[in-house]
Amino acid sequence: MTETNFLGVIPARYASSRLPGKPLLEICGRTMLEHVYRRALLSDVFSRLIIATDDERIYDAAQKFNAEVMMTRSDHTDGTSRIAEVAEKFDADYVINIQGDEPLLDPRMLRELAQGFAADKGADSATVCIPIRHSEDFENPNIVKVVRALDGHALYFSRSPIPYPRNDTGCNVYEHLGIYAFTKDFLMKLVKLSPTPLMQTESLEQLRILEHGYTMAVIVTKYPSHGPNVNTPEDIEEVRRIMAAEK
């Protein structure tokens, strides 16, 4: 994509309560971080793709596979503020936050997100979703649901089943996938916005955007990751099994 300037940032922390050193875990001969970086590059979306970390071990590992990497402050409370520190140093129209624990990320999803966001001039931010096919997923509070307006913008995100199926109308229900894009101008505003009641009640950071009156485009992707994001030892073993089978 040449008509717009997308900056990609992969925030990477060493600390993890369940999986210390998570970005550097080995999967089929490469670190998880390297898998994410390589897949993001394959999207052919970014004018720059940067790993953002506050840990020398991650910095050194990224340099070994020739990634562009930047050291950031250690006092960031979330990945969004870490990518904002990086983004303010670069000329970019849009910034995409790529989760560092998605080693099975499909590069085509990044392309869908970038193209859909660039086409929606009324959106301050953007994300992706997939239809929910199973009732147990609809009821699962660990699976975040999203409802969309007719123009594709987010109306609400919740851990509860939304919309409530009072009537059987065939209305689609969607799972939110946690990848985000922002206009650079809005990203700089976002990190200064105060926490909000719904955000704190649901423990969903994206609600801060909606509660403050800003917009988020929600793009239905055809290309979700074909395996779990990595949060537990069981997740990393499942990813290793999938990648070994692919090879």
Side-chain angles (χ1 to χ4, degrees), residues 68-122:
E68 187 170 2
V69 57
M70 286 183 58
M71 290 294 292
T72 60
R73 302 193 319 269
S74 60
D75 61 346
H76 290 295
T77 58
D78 53 54
T80 304
S81 59
R82 194 178 303 279
I83 69 166
E85 181 186 344
V86 173
E88 68 182 355
K89 297 177 172 64
F90 294 94
D91 180 25
D93 301 305
Y94 301 95
V95 183
I96 295 183
N97 180 352
I98 303 150
Q99 302 301 316
D101 59 4
E102 291 270 6
L104 292 170
L105 174 74
D106 192 317
R108 295 172 295 181
M109 184 172 69
L110 292 174
R111 201 172 305 135
E112 282 181 317
L113 175 61
Q115 291 173 342
F117 190 19
D120 188 340
K121 302 306 180 185

Side-chain angles (χ1 to χ4, degrees), residues 24 53 55-65 69 71:
L24 303 185
T53 187
D55 192 280
E56 293 285 354
R57 291 162 289 189
I58 293 175
Y59 184 92
D60 292 342
Q63 286 200 315
K64 286 179 181 177
F65 58 84
V69 57
M71 290 294 292

Side-chain angles (χ1 to χ4, degrees), residues 140-146 157-159 174-176 204 206:
N140 186 346
N142 294 316
I143 292 178
V144 177
K145 276 68 70 174
V146 59
F157 297 87
S158 183
R159 298 183 184 278
Y174 293 105
E175 174 184 351
H176 175 229
L204 294 175
Q206 62 271 37

Side-chain angles (χ1 to χ4, degrees), residues 44-226:
D44 197 29
V45 162
F46 303 109
S47 55
R48 302 281 289 270
L49 178 61
I50 298 169
I51 294 169
T53 187
D54 60 359
D55 192 280
E56 293 285 354
R57 291 162 289 189
I58 293 175
Y59 184 92
D60 292 342
Q63 286 200 315
K64 286 179 181 177
F65 58 84
N66 297 317
E68 187 170 2
V69 57
M70 286 183 58
M71 290 294 292
T72 60
R73 302 193 319 269
S74 60
D75 61 346
H76 290 295
T77 58
D78 53 54
T80 304
S81 59
R82 194 178 303 279
I83 69 166
E85 181 186 344
V86 173
E88 68 182 355
K89 297 177 172 64
F90 294 94
D91 180 25
D93 301 305
Y94 301 95
V95 183
I96 295 183
N97 180 352
I98 303 150
Q99 302 301 316
D101 59 4
E102 291 270 6
L104 292 170
L105 174 74
D106 192 317
R108 295 172 295 181
M109 184 172 69
L110 292 174
R111 201 172 305 135
E112 282 181 317
L113 175 61
Q115 291 173 342
F117 190 19
D120 188 340
K121 302 306 180 185
D124 303 299
S125 58
T127 189
V128 293
C129 68
I130 54 172
I132 294 177
R133 306 296 187 192
H134 305 290
S135 59
E136 59 267 28
D137 292 339
F138 190 52
E139 301 288 340
N140 186 346
N142 294 316
I143 292 178
V144 177
K145 276 68 70 174
V146 59
V147 289
R148 304 161 74 234
L150 293 176
D151 63 1
H153 289 183
L155 290 173
Y156 193 62
F157 297 87
S158 183
R159 298 183 184 278
S160 297
I162 54 172
Y164 179 79
R166 176 74 176 266
N167 300 303
D168 184 7
T169 63
C171 178
N172 284 324
V173 293
Y174 293 105
E175 174 184 351
H176 175 229
L177 304 181
I179 185 167
Y180 298 96
F182 313 94
T183 67
K184 181 182 172 181
D185 288 345
F186 175 64
L187 175 61
M188 296 302 122
K189 295 177 186 176
L190 173 60
V191 293
K192 297 176 183 177
L193 295 178
S194 60
T196 53
L198 291 173
M199 165 195 156
Q200 294 172 322
T201 300
E202 295 253 20
S203 190
L204 294 175
E205 176 70 26
Q206 62 271 37
L207 287 174
R208 178 166 60 159
I209 294 172
L210 304 187
E211 284 187 88
H212 278 286
Y214 294 97
T215 55
M216 177 174 281
V218 184
I219 295 155
V220 183
T221 180
K222 304 182 188 72
Y223 307 109
S225 300
H226 55 289

